[in-house]
Amino acid sequence: MSKREERLFRSQTTRNANHIFSRDEAVQYILEPDGELSDLEIEDEEGLDHEEDDNDLDWNPPVDPSLEYNVDEDDLPLSSLTHVHIVNRSASPPPYPLVASVISDPSTSGTATPFQSSSSREFRWRKQNFESPDVTWKSSLPPPPPEIPTPIEYFKQMFDDDMVERILFQSNLYVMQKEGVQLKVTNKEMGQDRLKTLRRFFHAYDNHPAVPKGQDGYDSLFKLRPVIDGLQANLTKIPAEERQSIDEQMVPFKGKLRFKQYLKDKPHSWGIKIFSRAGASGIIYDFEVYTGKASVPVTELGQGAEVVLRLAVEIPRNKNFKLFFDNYYTSIPLIRELLLHGIHSAGTVRKNRLKGCNIEADDLLKKKGRGSFDYRVETNSGILVTKWFDNKSVCIASSFVGAEPSDNCKRWDRTSKKYVDVLRPLCIAEYNKFMGGVDLSDMLIELPKLAKPKPYNSVCYDGIQHWPEAVADKKRCRLCSAYARIQCFKCHVSLCLVKNRNCFKIFHTQ
């Protein structure tokens, strides 16, 4: 901050040192119209009523009752049904109902029945031809935009104005409670002289109404819960692809944290684990932060299955979306549960989750040779389990894709030291092709860190801090390709700035 601002800050701190502002006093103080407060436009005074009540924990943006939606109920995602109450996925235990409770309502489906038990006696396995259902995708994606949005436009889609305004209010409120002075941060400022102050008082949630640690309903992420909820809501607005996958992601972090995780197979082994649902293109559609076993309740469907059901709540039902996951999540009851909603799924499955399925043993498949496979069909639901032997056996359960038609794939043979053709079931090929959406997202996240910064129009023409600076090595000018020893401090591009050529000015002039 500037010297004048620092002196004023210290004087106000000293003057108010003997008075600790209560929450109501702080709210009233920062909302006084003194002409210097941030550009908060308050339309609903009830939204600023910060009395300590139950509504403080479940903050949601207001819903416009005047909007009308003329759509069929089958077009709506599960979360839009009136009898599904979704509030806070971080609560312990989460207040979400299972999908089974949705299908038990006769108003949602005329044929679906609720899940009763995961006992293997419910499933009857036979070796018979798999009759693939009609899996034609009944949804669509909008056409691509005429122009590729800039990074700042993408950012604003996820981090919208409502989230910014809430952080502004909470930051101003926090500094009043903490120091007794006004921070007066606005939604248009990001000065370097105030960066340390803004980072110090950055706040997204009021500490006072939070549930204390150790009590029921405590949220380990309550300080960031409005930001997380806002991101989740904005991600679900993205038009969804036909084929999606659920897997873990890691946010790199090596500091002290109670729910820090270690996953050896991830690019960043240490960090915060996130369960994510992504499309085959790598776009994330929903996520859930893992804060410990208490955040994922264990039910008859299993812990992994509960994660899938919560992340699949926003997938439109009866539109033949396809969902892929690995053996941590996969179980036959889970696939049947999703199938009852018209959501097809496939995933590798552990052998101890196939009780009662008399599929051929590994030794028999090994004798038949590499590429051999066997399958069984569950007669009631039509779910297929395929065991394929490559270097070792792998089982895949699916509700929409079978073993035929099979094809050949190239696999490395240790004996002959070369690639050989190995017979591969169709379900294996489908799984390998569309399971990697979350991993692709991880790769795309890493790419900007390695790429050379590229200036965009929204940056080049903003007229802020575009200063010429001298560099030791001469490089080609971005406009005329002549050698230049000047580059833009902000855009990081080389530009001519000599007597006869002022490419620096032309480049920054629209």
Side-chain angles (χ1 to χ4, degrees):
M1 63 178 67
S2 63
K3 293 183 178 180
R4 179 179 178 276
E5 186 178 4
E6 184 177 359
R7 289 196 301 270
L8 179 62
F9 186 85
R10 290 179 178 177
S11 63
Q12 290 179 339
T13 304
T14 304
R15 182 170 61 254
N16 297 324
N18 296 326
H19 178 68
I20 303 299
F21 284 82
S22 66
R23 183 186 178 199
D24 293 338
E25 290 175 336
V27 172
Q28 183 178 3
Y29 195 86
I30 66 174
L31 291 179
E32 290 180 354
D34 57 0
E36 297 181 358
L37 196 58
S38 61
D39 301 335
L40 293 174
E41 297 181 1
I42 309 301
E43 299 180 356
D44 186 2
E45 296 181 355
E46 295 180 359
L48 296 176
D49 185 8
H50 280 264
E51 296 181 0
E52 297 189 12
D53 54 20
D54 296 334
N55 294 328
D56 287 334
L57 291 177
D58 297 330
W59 180 86
N60 287 301
V63 178
D64 189 355
S66 62
L67 296 179
E68 295 183 358
Y69 300 92
N70 184 18
V71 295
D72 186 5
E73 187 183 19
D74 286 343
D75 294 334
L76 299 176
L78 298 179
S79 60
S80 64
L81 301 179
T82 56
H83 57 276
V84 179
H85 180 58
I86 298 178
V87 182
N88 184 354
R89 282 187 273 197
S90 65
S92 178
Y96 292 103
L98 298 178
V99 178
S101 64
V102 178
I103 61 178
S104 63
D105 190 326
S107 64
T108 62
S109 176
T111 59
T113 55
F115 176 76
Q116 299 294 334
S117 172
S118 60
S119 173
S120 61
R121 288 178 295 181
E122 292 189 19
F123 304 107
R124 296 184 177 182
W125 301 95
R126 298 288 185 271
K127 187 168 184 178
Q128 62 187 35
N129 292 331
F130 175 73
E131 297 180 2
S132 178
D134 181 14
V135 295
T136 304
W137 193 37
K138 299 178 182 179
S139 185
S140 62
L141 292 174
E147 296 183 1
I148 299 177
T150 62
I152 188 63
E153 291 173 341
Y154 277 119
F155 176 79
K156 288 183 177 180
Q157 289 180 13
M158 298 296 102
F159 210 90
D160 55 24
D161 293 338
D162 291 338
M163 297 171 62
V164 174
E165 294 296 341
R166 181 177 180 86
I167 293 175
L168 288 174
F169 177 80
Q170 292 295 337
S171 298
N172 286 319
L173 176 63
Y174 178 69
V175 71
M176 284 295 300
Q177 296 173 332
K178 192 76 173 178
E179 304 289 346
V181 297
Q182 293 190 58
L183 183 62
K184 296 182 180 180
V185 60
T186 69
N187 59 357
K188 298 180 180 180
E189 92 172 282
M190 183 47 73
Q192 292 185 355
D193 56 342
R194 293 243 292 176
L195 180 59
K196 292 183 178 180
T197 304
L198 296 177
R199 291 182 60 182
R200 178 186 174 190
F201 295 111
F202 179 87
H203 229 63
Y205 190 78
D206 190 2
N207 295 337
H208 288 73
V211 178
K213 186 176 181 180
Q215 296 186 10
D216 293 339
Y218 171 74
D219 182 8
S220 300
L221 297 171
F222 77 93
K223 288 180 178 289
L224 294 175
R225 183 54 57 189
V227 177
I228 294 175
D229 290 346
L231 285 175
Q232 289 172 335
N234 290 333
L235 286 173
T236 56
K237 297 176 183 178
I238 303 175
E241 303 169 58
E242 177 184 1
R243 291 173 171 86
Q244 305 173 28
S245 60
I246 291 178
D247 204 353
E248 299 91 6
Q249 282 186 298
M250 293 292 286
V251 177
F253 182 76
K254 291 188 177 181
K256 293 183 179 180
L257 189 64
R258 178 182 60 83
F259 47 87
K260 183 176 63 176
Q261 297 288 309
Y262 173 77
L263 296 179
K264 64 177 182 178
D265 295 330
K266 293 297 180 180
H268 300 282
S269 300
W270 288 99
I272 302 171
K273 183 166 72 172
I274 296 178
F275 298 110
S276 300
R277 174 169 59 89
S281 64
I283 297 177
I284 300 295
Y285 297 114
D286 202 357
F287 69 94
E288 181 178 294
V289 182
Y290 179 74
T291 59
K293 292 182 179 180
S295 64
V296 184
V298 179
T299 65
E300 56 187 3
L301 287 176
Q303 189 180 56
E306 291 301 316
V307 173
V308 173
L309 293 179
R310 288 206 299 277
L311 290 179
V313 164
E314 294 291 339
I315 299 178
R317 57 182 187 152
N318 298 324
K319 296 297 181 181
N320 290 337
F321 281 84
K322 286 83 177 176
L323 193 59
F324 299 84
F325 30 77
D326 60 27
N327 59 19
Y328 171 75
Y329 310 93
T330 309
S331 67
I332 305 303
L334 170 62
I335 294 178
R336 185 179 66 173
E337 193 83 357
L338 294 171
L339 184 60
L340 291 172
H341 298 285
I343 300 175
H344 295 285
S345 58
T348 55
V349 59
R350 298 172 183 175
K351 298 175 184 178
N352 60 359
R353 298 180 182 176
L354 296 175
K355 296 180 180 179
C357 181
N358 57 341
I359 200 166
E360 286 189 4
D362 296 353
D363 295 340
L364 295 177
L365 292 177
K366 187 174 182 181
K367 289 180 180 180
K368 293 180 180 180
R370 193 173 183 182
S372 59
F373 62 88
D374 189 27
Y375 58 88
R376 295 292 185 273
V377 177
E378 205 283 310
T379 57
N380 294 323
S381 60
I383 297 173
L384 174 75
V385 171
T386 304
K387 179 185 283 190
W388 179 55
F389 184 83
D390 185 16
N391 289 322
K392 58 181 180 179
S393 65
V394 59
C395 292
I396 284 189
S398 172
S399 63
F400 70 98
V401 59
E404 300 291 347
S406 58
D407 65 352
N408 290 325
C409 63
K410 295 292 185 180
R411 307 291 291 176
W412 179 256
D413 183 67
R414 297 178 182 178
T415 304
S416 60
K417 305 295 182 182
K418 64 179 181 180
Y419 285 97
V420 296
D421 289 334
V422 175
L423 189 66
R424 177 180 59 178
L426 178 61
C427 54
I428 297 289
E430 190 84 358
Y431 177 84
N432 290 339
K433 185 176 181 180
F434 298 108
M435 175 56 200
V438 177
D439 292 335
L440 178 59
S441 175
D442 286 335
M443 186 200 71
L444 295 175
I445 291 173
E446 292 295 323
L447 288 180
K449 299 179 181 179
L450 303 177
K452 183 179 179 180
K454 178 182 178 181
Y456 290 88
N457 292 341
S458 59
V459 177
C460 295
Y461 306 140
D462 60 5
I464 301 174
Q465 294 183 350
H466 292 281
W467 312 120
E469 61 178 359
V471 294
D473 300 329
K474 59 183 180 180
K475 298 181 180 180
R476 294 285 185 179
C477 174
R478 179 59 65 91
L479 292 184
C480 68
S481 299
Y483 283 107
R485 293 185 180 272
I486 298 294
Q487 75 173 9
C488 177
F489 168 79
K490 185 174 182 179
C491 299
H492 301 286
V493 296
S494 297
L495 297 164
C496 293
L497 185 57
V498 294
K499 182 178 180 180
N500 298 327
R501 296 189 310 276
N502 192 346
C503 295
F504 189 93
K505 179 179 179 181
I506 299 174
F507 183 81
H508 295 100
T509 303
Q510 190 171 8

